[in-house]
Amino acid sequence: MDQFKSKVTIDQVAKAAGVAKSTVSRIINNAPGVKPATKMRVSKIIEEMGFTPNLMARSLKTNLRKQIALAINDIRNPYYPELAWAAEQVAKQHGYRLVLINHYGNPSDELAVVREANDMHVDGIIMLPLSKPKTLMAEVKKASVPVCLIGVYEEDIPADSVALTRSEGVLAMEHLIRIGRQRIAYVGRHYQQFRPRSRFSVYQKALESSFLKRDPAHVFLGPTASIQTGLEAAHYFYSLKDKDNLPDAVFTDNDMTAIGLIQGLLNLGVRVPEDIAVVGVDDINWCTLITPKLTSVSSLSTEMGRIAVELLLKRIETGPETEFRRVELEPRLIVRESSVKQL
Amino acid sequence: MDQFKSKVTIDQVAKAAGVAKSTVSRIINNAPGVKPATKMRVSKIIEEMGFTPNLMARSLKTNLRKQIALAINDIRNPYYPELAWAAEQVAKQHGYRLVLINHYGNPSDELAVVREANDMHVDGIIMLPLSKPKTLMAEVKKASVPVCLIGVYEEDIPADSVALTRSEGVLAMEHLIRIGRQRIAYVGRHYQQFRPRSRFSVYQKALESSFLKRDPAHVFLGPTASIQTGLEAAHYFYSLKDKDNLPDAVFTDNDMTAIGLIQGLLNLGVRVPEDIAVVGVDDINWCTLITPKLTSVSSLSTEMGRIAVELLLKRIETGPETEFRRVELEPRLIVRESSVKQL
DNA sequence: CTGTTAGCGCCTTCAT
DNA sequence: ATGAAGGCGCTAACAG
């Protein structure tokens, strides 16, 4: 194992160049106070020897890793790559690396993620939390570095955050009601506890305030934000005994599930949107690539990712002194074929 | 910045427990030779103080990071998340963490990736290289840790590898020819240099050996494996002056581009597969979610990811002594609606 | 069984 | 402008 070309150290360079390590250190860090001549000479040797500083040794000393963690649910849901991509662009621009930490939906793992991030000694953490507020609070407090939250409504958590001005559910439900749907179902993930402004809570409230029937049979909760959950939901609705009570619309937690749901419905001979209109959340790229194209509420993944990194980097610089910032974005409904036949 | 809850160190624990740090070290590493009583007592203190070892300090010492890098092209192409997911499962099982490094297609960046991985002091690197053989060789040799290659045919590179027994192109072209297509086009990425067994080379050879016309106008090369490239290809073919010479089939480098291509063709009123049959490569999940469902040659992303990690971990253990291993998988053609109307 | 010591590779005063 | 020395947090001999 040690026969692999071992990394050259700053000492070796110093020795080879006949200078002290501190001089080499100054050079690789562009520190002032090195005679141009020696700088040039040593730089050449550095180049020749292929020396690159051991980042871990460096950060052990400086306590700076130039690295931020992005805790996500499942990399296989395109929503996260889209967000991560945008976040990475900004991070890179500032000389930071973005490290993804997957916690496949198990909300109890969110705490593990924080611990992991602590251990890795990243400079900051971006989270898209699923936990209930109390747990989340504990998580954030356990973090030994700044945290930036995405998509969280609670206001009293010691972290910067980016969120929407209102739940995606509001736009989705408004839309379905406006186009005259009467029996609107809900398909989504099962949370430990639904936040007051969660998509599901909003769904329930919207039904009430428009005097639509709230039928427990019209709610299907799966374990993950996946195609699979959508397929299962389709079979579930189809298996309802009371065929007259089939939903005529479904508001879906997320686009992946919505896409699975549509797939499942079509397989069962249900027409979308004629028989059942479907609205998702996230507006992932694939919305326009399936048939029918999926109506969705954009949760602004790329903007969120970008802003989260910006907030976090600012916080890393300024420290916890300044007041926590909260950026709010306006969600957008994008109407496509899965909810209205003719646009 | 330093007002954030600072991490507690092994010294603090040792002091608080009234033992030497080495004892604490032995305990957190489950090393033998600690009296159960003290172990119990100190463990409790560790728990109370919330101590977790600084992984960077540890690896500075042990030269082991329990971390492997996966160098990928673009996280937004679902092929990579699928592969990364599988790789991560195996890595986690062995106590390793998987770190993704994106090098958005710029093949010259592949070298940068190796350097980056070196700097990060990961224990090994998995690559899906795009570079031409000579460059690739240089890259692998620059690595200071074991490398495992995915999808490379060259045999003389000092690295373990997982690859297919034959190019995906063989299966794709066989299929298109068998179903009687005469004017088969190619859409793909532009490489610095096409390897002999690359998809494009195989495409050309297949045309020759079946005495089909090789028309330069039937080749469209884009910069990336993206939807966008597919859309552009569709417009390109449509804009050909010689309408009688439109292709009746397209072999596409990758599924993303194939999906974009189909989308573009449908928008232009071209029927798929009646007018143009389309075959992709990778067999990403989305193949079955679009309409028409995409015929594709599976490049076995999850198996590749899994095996690559296994090979790499074995190599990390054994070192460079043992001969480099090469695992070969049989590619599979999955026929769907984009190439034949009735299955 | 437990403590002492000596670095891992780097940065950072403090001298020179 | 450069060198010498100390230490970041941890592990790994070597003593006791």
Side-chain angles (χ1 to χ4, degrees), chain A residues 1 5 7 52 54 56 60 65 76 85 88 97 104 116 119 121 142 144 263 288-289 319, chain B residues 1 5 7 52 54 56 60 65 76 85 88 97 104 116 119 121 142 144 227 263 288 320:
Chain A
M1 167 71 212
K5 204 186 64 179
K7 295 230 43 176
T52 62
N54 181 328
M56 300 188 335
L60 185 58
R65 217 137 159 0
R76 293 169 301 176
W85 176 82
E88 193 192 21
R97 147 166 306 290
Y104 300 97
E116 206 170 326
D119 289 353
H121 268 234
K142 264 226 158 47
S144 52
Q263 175 87 345
T288 63
L289 295 166
Chain B
M1 167 70 212
K5 202 185 64 180
K7 296 229 46 176
T52 62
N54 182 328
M56 301 189 333
L60 184 58
R65 211 126 161 21
R76 292 170 301 176
W85 176 81
E88 193 193 20
R97 148 168 304 291
Y104 301 98
E116 206 170 324
D119 289 353
H121 268 236
K142 263 226 157 51
S144 51
I227 301 277
Q263 175 87 346
T288 63

Side-chain angles (χ1 to χ4, degrees), chain A residues 94-321:
Chain A
H94 292 259
Y96 278 73
R97 147 166 306 290
L98 190 73
V99 177
L100 266 38
I101 304 186
N102 289 89
H103 63 261
Y104 300 97
N106 194 333
S108 83
D109 284 352
E110 269 186 34
L111 235 178
V113 166
V114 171
R115 208 172 32 230
E116 206 170 326
N118 280 345
D119 289 353
M120 295 179 71
H121 268 234
V122 295
D123 303 307
I125 310 174
I126 299 174
M127 296 180 64
L128 296 97
L130 301 176
S131 305
K132 50 188 177 183
K134 219 175 108 191
T135 316
L136 176 58
M137 179 66 97
E139 288 167 3
V140 169
K141 286 193 170 156
K142 264 226 158 47
S144 52
V145 290
V147 173
C148 182
L149 265 17
I150 292 184
V152 157
Y153 290 110
E154 288 75 48
E155 310 250 342
D156 54 343
I157 293 186
D160 299 299
S161 63
V162 210
L164 297 175
T165 52
R166 45 195 176 141
S167 169
E168 301 94 337
V170 175
L171 296 186
M173 291 301 289
E174 271 179 14
H175 174 61
L176 289 173
I177 292 167
R178 190 179 312 119
I179 62 176
R181 302 292 168 154
Q182 304 277 332
R183 299 181 306 283
I184 306 176
Y186 179 87
V187 174
R189 276 168 290 186
H190 190 73
Y191 287 84
Q192 297 174 294
Q193 177 186 323
F194 287 98
R195 301 213 187 90
R197 295 177 67 184
S198 74
R199 294 164 198 174
F200 183 59
S201 308
V202 164
Y203 158 78
Q204 295 182 307
K205 271 180 243 149
L207 288 188
E208 278 165 21
S209 58
S210 17
F211 307 102
L212 289 175
K213 200 172 122 214
R214 239 180 90 176
D215 187 339
H218 283 174
V219 173
F220 183 89
L221 267 21
T224 58
S226 61
I227 301 276
Q228 186 55 31
T229 295
L231 291 171
E232 286 166 12
H235 284 96
Y236 163 74
F237 288 130
Y238 197 76
S239 72
L240 288 179
K241 316 121 260 289
D242 186 358
K243 295 299 175 200
D244 293 336
N245 192 27
L246 277 180
D248 59 5
V250 181
F251 167 41
T252 312
D253 204 20
N254 66 89
D255 287 342
M256 288 295 275
T257 304
I259 289 169
L261 175 67
I262 291 177
Q263 175 87 345
L265 291 175
L266 295 180
N267 286 346
L268 293 168
V270 179
R271 293 168 306 163
V272 177
E274 293 87 338
D275 300 331
I276 298 187
V278 176
V279 175
V281 171
D282 284 343
D283 191 36
I284 62 178
N285 278 302
W286 296 91
C287 287
T288 63
L289 295 166
I290 60 161
T291 311
K293 295 183 171 53
L294 178 61
T295 294
S296 186
V297 182
S298 172
S299 48
L300 306 168
S301 57
T302 56
E303 287 86 343
M304 289 269 178
R306 184 172 52 70
I307 294 171
V309 173
E310 284 166 357
L311 287 176
L312 187 57
L313 291 182
K314 192 157 296 171
R315 172 70 50 197
I316 289 173
E317 281 173 17
T318 67
E321 311 280 64

Side-chain angles (χ1 to χ4, degrees), chain A residues 76, chain B residues 79 81-87 90 282 285 298-308 329 332:
Chain A
R76 293 169 301 176
Chain B
Y79 168 70
E82 288 176 17
L83 191 149
W85 176 81
V90 182
D282 283 344
N285 275 260
S298 173
S299 49
L300 306 169
S301 57
T302 56
E303 287 87 344
M304 290 269 178
R306 184 172 54 70
I307 293 170
L329 269 33
R332 269 199 300 271

